[in-house]
Short mmCIF file of all heavy atoms in Angstrom, two decimals:
data_model
loop_
_atom_site.label_atom_id
_atom_site.label_comp_id
_atom_site.label_asym_id
_atom_site.label_seq_id
_atom_site.Cartn_x
_atom_site.Cartn_y
_atom_site.Cartn_z
N LEU A 1 -21.48 -1.44 12.14
CA LEU A 1 -20.51 -2.13 11.32
C LEU A 1 -20.55 -1.72 9.87
O LEU A 1 -19.50 -1.46 9.25
CB LEU A 1 -20.75 -3.66 11.44
CG LEU A 1 -19.76 -4.54 10.65
CD1 LEU A 1 -18.34 -4.37 11.19
CD2 LEU A 1 -20.18 -6.02 10.75
N ARG A 2 -21.74 -1.61 9.32
CA ARG A 2 -21.87 -1.22 7.91
C ARG A 2 -21.33 0.18 7.66
O ARG A 2 -20.63 0.44 6.71
CB ARG A 2 -23.32 -1.32 7.47
CG ARG A 2 -23.54 -1.09 5.98
CD ARG A 2 -24.96 -1.42 5.58
NE ARG A 2 -25.16 -1.25 4.15
CZ ARG A 2 -26.29 -1.53 3.51
NH1 ARG A 2 -27.33 -2.01 4.20
NH2 ARG A 2 -26.40 -1.34 2.24
N GLY A 3 -21.71 1.10 8.54
CA GLY A 3 -21.27 2.48 8.38
C GLY A 3 -19.77 2.65 8.52
O GLY A 3 -19.16 3.52 7.89
N SER A 4 -19.14 1.79 9.32
CA SER A 4 -17.69 1.90 9.53
C SER A 4 -16.92 1.47 8.29
O SER A 4 -15.74 1.77 8.18
CB SER A 4 -17.27 1.05 10.73
OG SER A 4 -17.44 -0.33 10.48
N TYR A 5 -17.56 0.78 7.36
CA TYR A 5 -16.90 0.37 6.11
C TYR A 5 -17.32 1.23 4.93
O TYR A 5 -17.08 0.85 3.77
CB TYR A 5 -17.15 -1.10 5.84
CG TYR A 5 -16.20 -2.01 6.58
CD1 TYR A 5 -16.53 -2.51 7.83
CD2 TYR A 5 -14.95 -2.31 6.07
CE1 TYR A 5 -15.63 -3.30 8.55
CE2 TYR A 5 -14.04 -3.10 6.78
CZ TYR A 5 -14.41 -3.59 8.02
OH TYR A 5 -13.50 -4.38 8.71
N THR A 6 -17.90 2.40 5.20
CA THR A 6 -18.23 3.32 4.13
C THR A 6 -16.95 3.75 3.42
O THR A 6 -15.97 4.11 4.07
CB THR A 6 -18.93 4.55 4.72
OG1 THR A 6 -20.13 4.17 5.38
CG2 THR A 6 -19.26 5.57 3.62
N GLY A 7 -16.95 3.69 2.09
CA GLY A 7 -15.78 4.11 1.33
C GLY A 7 -14.70 3.06 1.21
O GLY A 7 -13.57 3.39 0.80
N ILE A 8 -14.99 1.80 1.52
CA ILE A 8 -13.95 0.77 1.52
C ILE A 8 -13.42 0.52 0.11
O ILE A 8 -12.24 0.22 -0.06
CB ILE A 8 -14.48 -0.55 2.16
CG1 ILE A 8 -13.36 -1.60 2.27
CG2 ILE A 8 -15.65 -1.08 1.37
CD1 ILE A 8 -12.24 -1.22 3.17
N GLY A 9 -14.28 0.69 -0.91
CA GLY A 9 -13.82 0.47 -2.28
C GLY A 9 -12.69 1.39 -2.68
O GLY A 9 -11.66 0.96 -3.18
N ALA A 10 -12.89 2.68 -2.41
CA ALA A 10 -11.86 3.67 -2.74
C ALA A 10 -10.60 3.45 -1.93
O ALA A 10 -9.48 3.59 -2.40
CB ALA A 10 -12.39 5.09 -2.47
N ARG A 11 -10.78 3.03 -0.66
CA ARG A 11 -9.62 2.83 0.20
C ARG A 11 -8.84 1.58 -0.19
O ARG A 11 -7.61 1.55 -0.12
CB ARG A 11 -10.05 2.72 1.67
CG ARG A 11 -8.88 2.84 2.65
CD ARG A 11 -9.30 3.35 3.99
NE ARG A 11 -8.13 3.57 4.81
CZ ARG A 11 -7.59 2.65 5.62
NH1 ARG A 11 -8.16 1.48 5.74
NH2 ARG A 11 -6.52 2.91 6.32
N LEU A 12 -9.51 0.54 -0.65
CA LEU A 12 -8.83 -0.65 -1.15
C LEU A 12 -7.95 -0.29 -2.34
O LEU A 12 -6.81 -0.72 -2.44
CB LEU A 12 -9.84 -1.75 -1.55
CG LEU A 12 -10.45 -2.57 -0.43
CD1 LEU A 12 -11.59 -3.43 -0.97
CD2 LEU A 12 -9.41 -3.46 0.23
N PHE A 13 -8.52 0.51 -3.24
CA PHE A 13 -7.74 0.92 -4.43
C PHE A 13 -6.53 1.77 -4.01
O PHE A 13 -5.41 1.50 -4.44
CB PHE A 13 -8.65 1.74 -5.35
CG PHE A 13 -7.92 2.34 -6.52
CD1 PHE A 13 -7.62 1.58 -7.65
CD2 PHE A 13 -7.54 3.68 -6.50
CE1 PHE A 13 -6.93 2.13 -8.71
CE2 PHE A 13 -6.85 4.25 -7.57
CZ PHE A 13 -6.56 3.49 -8.68
N MET A 14 -6.77 2.74 -3.13
CA MET A 14 -5.69 3.66 -2.73
C MET A 14 -4.61 2.94 -1.94
O MET A 14 -3.43 3.02 -2.26
CB MET A 14 -6.26 4.80 -1.90
CG MET A 14 -5.21 5.82 -1.46
SD MET A 14 -5.85 7.08 -0.35
CE MET A 14 -6.01 6.13 1.16
N VAL A 15 -5.03 2.21 -0.90
CA VAL A 15 -4.04 1.54 -0.01
C VAL A 15 -3.33 0.40 -0.73
O VAL A 15 -2.12 0.19 -0.57
CB VAL A 15 -4.73 1.05 1.27
CG1 VAL A 15 -3.76 0.23 2.13
CG2 VAL A 15 -5.26 2.23 2.07
N GLY A 16 -4.07 -0.34 -1.54
CA GLY A 16 -3.49 -1.46 -2.27
C GLY A 16 -2.38 -1.03 -3.22
O GLY A 16 -1.29 -1.56 -3.19
N THR A 17 -2.68 0.00 -4.02
CA THR A 17 -1.66 0.45 -4.98
C THR A 17 -0.51 1.14 -4.27
O THR A 17 0.66 0.93 -4.62
CB THR A 17 -2.29 1.43 -6.01
OG1 THR A 17 -2.99 2.47 -5.33
CG2 THR A 17 -3.28 0.71 -6.92
N LEU A 18 -0.81 1.94 -3.26
CA LEU A 18 0.23 2.64 -2.52
C LEU A 18 1.18 1.65 -1.85
O LEU A 18 2.40 1.78 -1.93
CB LEU A 18 -0.41 3.54 -1.46
CG LEU A 18 0.56 4.26 -0.50
CD1 LEU A 18 1.42 5.25 -1.27
CD2 LEU A 18 -0.20 4.98 0.61
N THR A 19 0.62 0.62 -1.20
CA THR A 19 1.43 -0.37 -0.51
C THR A 19 2.28 -1.19 -1.49
O THR A 19 3.44 -1.51 -1.21
CB THR A 19 0.56 -1.29 0.34
OG1 THR A 19 -0.22 -0.50 1.23
CG2 THR A 19 1.39 -2.26 1.16
N ALA A 20 1.70 -1.52 -2.63
CA ALA A 20 2.45 -2.26 -3.66
C ALA A 20 3.70 -1.47 -4.08
O ALA A 20 4.79 -2.03 -4.13
CB ALA A 20 1.55 -2.53 -4.86
N PHE A 21 3.52 -0.18 -4.36
CA PHE A 21 4.66 0.62 -4.76
C PHE A 21 5.63 0.88 -3.62
O PHE A 21 6.85 0.94 -3.82
CB PHE A 21 4.18 1.96 -5.36
CG PHE A 21 3.63 1.81 -6.77
CD1 PHE A 21 2.29 1.97 -7.03
CD2 PHE A 21 4.48 1.46 -7.81
CE1 PHE A 21 1.77 1.83 -8.30
CE2 PHE A 21 3.98 1.28 -9.09
CZ PHE A 21 2.64 1.47 -9.35
N GLN A 22 5.12 0.98 -2.40
CA GLN A 22 6.00 1.16 -1.23
C GLN A 22 6.97 0.00 -1.12
O GLN A 22 8.19 0.19 -0.96
CB GLN A 22 5.18 1.25 0.06
CG GLN A 22 4.61 2.59 0.36
CD GLN A 22 3.84 2.62 1.66
OE1 GLN A 22 3.30 1.60 2.10
NE2 GLN A 22 3.76 3.78 2.29
N PHE A 23 6.47 -1.22 -1.20
CA PHE A 23 7.32 -2.40 -1.05
C PHE A 23 8.23 -2.60 -2.24
O PHE A 23 9.36 -3.08 -2.11
CB PHE A 23 6.49 -3.64 -0.77
CG PHE A 23 6.06 -3.78 0.67
CD1 PHE A 23 4.75 -3.63 1.03
CD2 PHE A 23 7.01 -4.03 1.65
CE1 PHE A 23 4.36 -3.73 2.39
CE2 PHE A 23 6.66 -4.15 2.98
CZ PHE A 23 5.32 -4.00 3.37
N ALA A 24 7.77 -2.24 -3.43
CA ALA A 24 8.62 -2.33 -4.60
C ALA A 24 9.81 -1.34 -4.49
O ALA A 24 10.96 -1.72 -4.74
CB ALA A 24 7.83 -2.01 -5.87
N ILE A 25 9.51 -0.11 -4.09
CA ILE A 25 10.55 0.91 -3.90
C ILE A 25 11.48 0.50 -2.78
O ILE A 25 12.71 0.63 -2.86
CB ILE A 25 9.93 2.28 -3.65
CG1 ILE A 25 9.19 2.79 -4.90
CG2 ILE A 25 11.01 3.30 -3.23
CD1 ILE A 25 8.32 3.99 -4.67
N TYR A 26 10.92 0.01 -1.68
CA TYR A 26 11.68 -0.41 -0.51
C TYR A 26 12.68 -1.51 -0.90
O TYR A 26 13.85 -1.46 -0.54
CB TYR A 26 10.72 -0.90 0.55
CG TYR A 26 11.36 -1.23 1.88
CD1 TYR A 26 12.16 -0.34 2.56
CD2 TYR A 26 11.13 -2.48 2.48
CE1 TYR A 26 12.73 -0.65 3.79
CE2 TYR A 26 11.68 -2.77 3.72
CZ TYR A 26 12.48 -1.86 4.36
OH TYR A 26 13.03 -2.16 5.58
N GLY A 27 12.21 -2.51 -1.66
CA GLY A 27 13.08 -3.59 -2.09
C GLY A 27 14.17 -3.11 -3.00
O GLY A 27 15.34 -3.49 -2.86
N ASP A 28 13.81 -2.23 -3.95
CA ASP A 28 14.82 -1.71 -4.89
C ASP A 28 15.83 -0.79 -4.19
O ASP A 28 17.02 -0.78 -4.54
CB ASP A 28 14.12 -0.93 -6.00
CG ASP A 28 13.41 -1.87 -6.99
OD1 ASP A 28 13.65 -3.08 -6.96
OD2 ASP A 28 12.58 -1.36 -7.80
N LEU A 29 15.34 -0.04 -3.19
CA LEU A 29 16.23 0.84 -2.44
C LEU A 29 17.25 0.03 -1.64
O LEU A 29 18.44 0.38 -1.58
CB LEU A 29 15.41 1.73 -1.52
CG LEU A 29 16.18 2.83 -0.75
CD1 LEU A 29 16.83 3.80 -1.73
CD2 LEU A 29 15.23 3.58 0.19
N LYS A 30 16.81 -1.07 -1.06
CA LYS A 30 17.72 -1.89 -0.29
C LYS A 30 18.79 -2.51 -1.22
O LYS A 30 19.96 -2.61 -0.84
CB LYS A 30 16.96 -3.01 0.46
CG LYS A 30 16.17 -2.49 1.63
CD LYS A 30 15.73 -3.63 2.57
CE LYS A 30 14.72 -4.54 1.91
NZ LYS A 30 14.22 -5.55 2.87
N LYS A 31 18.37 -2.88 -2.42
CA LYS A 31 19.33 -3.44 -3.39
C LYS A 31 20.35 -2.36 -3.81
O LYS A 31 21.55 -2.62 -3.89
CB LYS A 31 18.60 -3.97 -4.63
CG LYS A 31 18.00 -5.35 -4.42
CD LYS A 31 17.39 -5.91 -5.68
CE LYS A 31 16.09 -5.25 -6.01
NZ LYS A 31 15.38 -5.88 -7.16
N ALA A 32 19.85 -1.14 -4.01
CA ALA A 32 20.72 -0.03 -4.44
C ALA A 32 21.75 0.32 -3.36
O ALA A 32 22.87 0.69 -3.63
CB ALA A 32 19.89 1.18 -4.77
N LEU A 33 21.34 0.14 -2.10
CA LEU A 33 22.22 0.47 -0.96
C LEU A 33 23.07 -0.72 -0.51
O LEU A 33 23.82 -0.63 0.44
CB LEU A 33 21.39 0.98 0.22
CG LEU A 33 20.65 2.32 -0.01
CD1 LEU A 33 19.75 2.62 1.18
CD2 LEU A 33 21.65 3.44 -0.22
N GLY A 34 22.89 -1.84 -1.21
CA GLY A 34 23.65 -3.03 -0.85
C GLY A 34 23.16 -3.71 0.40
O GLY A 34 23.88 -4.46 1.07
N ALA A 35 21.87 -3.45 0.75
CA ALA A 35 21.28 -4.06 1.97
C ALA A 35 20.24 -5.07 1.55
O ALA A 35 19.18 -5.19 2.17
CB ALA A 35 20.66 -2.98 2.83
#
């Protein structure tokens, strides 16, 4: 269990920021397309 979470700090940073921008862009894109 412990070994399977090796590198979780870096992944939280990467996935958290990436997902935040994904949903922000997704929401803005839907508005731009009238959806």
Side-chain angles (χ1 to χ4, degrees):
L1 181 63
R2 186 171 182 177
S4 66
Y5 277 92
T6 300
I8 186 63
R11 194 155 186 269
L12 281 170
F13 174 80
M14 181 185 74
V15 174
T17 52
L18 176 65
T19 304
F21 284 112
Q22 278 181 333
F23 279 111
I25 293 169
Y26 186 54
D28 287 347
L29 186 61
K30 286 195 294 185
K31 280 185 285 187
L33 295 174

